[in-house]
């Protein structure tokens, strides 16, 4: 049970190395990957711009704007077709 993430990662790596894209696509949860990556990209962009996370309306608006920029990029490059 505790080894299952490692086994899954090993199998994914094997499929990537074998260029078995059908198997890779079957293993991937693209929606979860896009959501996670978009959030990480938005956080990195905010940090690079010197933004600190707070609950002020201005900061929330900036976070929304950054996410609006990050989401289409991630959507374009993280898909079975990419």
């Amino acid at each position: 049970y505790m080894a299952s993430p490692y086994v899954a990662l090993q199998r994914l790596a094997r499929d990537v190395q074998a260029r078995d894209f059908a198997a890779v696509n079957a293993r991937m949860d693209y929606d979860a990957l896009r959501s996670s990556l978009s959030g990480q990209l938005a956080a990195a962009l905010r940090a690079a711009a010197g933004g600190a996370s707070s609950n002020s309306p201005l900061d929330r608006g900036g976070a929304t704007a950054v996410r609006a920029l990050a989401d289409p990029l991630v959507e374009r490059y993280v898909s079975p077709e990419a």
Side-chain angles (χ1 to χ4, degrees):
Y1 174 76
M2 292 179 62
S4 65
Y6 300 106
V7 172
L9 184 58
Q10 183 181 26
R11 289 178 180 162
L12 178 62
R14 181 195 62 211
D15 293 341
V16 168
Q17 288 174 344
R19 297 187 184 276
D20 185 351
F21 299 116
V24 170
N25 287 335
R27 294 185 189 282
M28 297 297 293
D29 182 350
Y30 284 101
D31 291 333
L33 179 60
R34 280 190 292 268
S35 177
S36 176
L37 187 58
S38 184
Q40 292 176 46
L41 181 58
L45 289 172
R46 281 193 309 273
S53 63
S54 78
N55 289 325
S56 75
L58 184 58
D59 285 345
R60 285 193 304 268
T64 300
V66 168
R67 192 73 185 240
L69 292 172
D71 284 348
L73 290 173
V74 171
E75 183 73 30
R76 180 176 178 184
Y77 292 107
V78 180
S79 70
E81 296 81 26

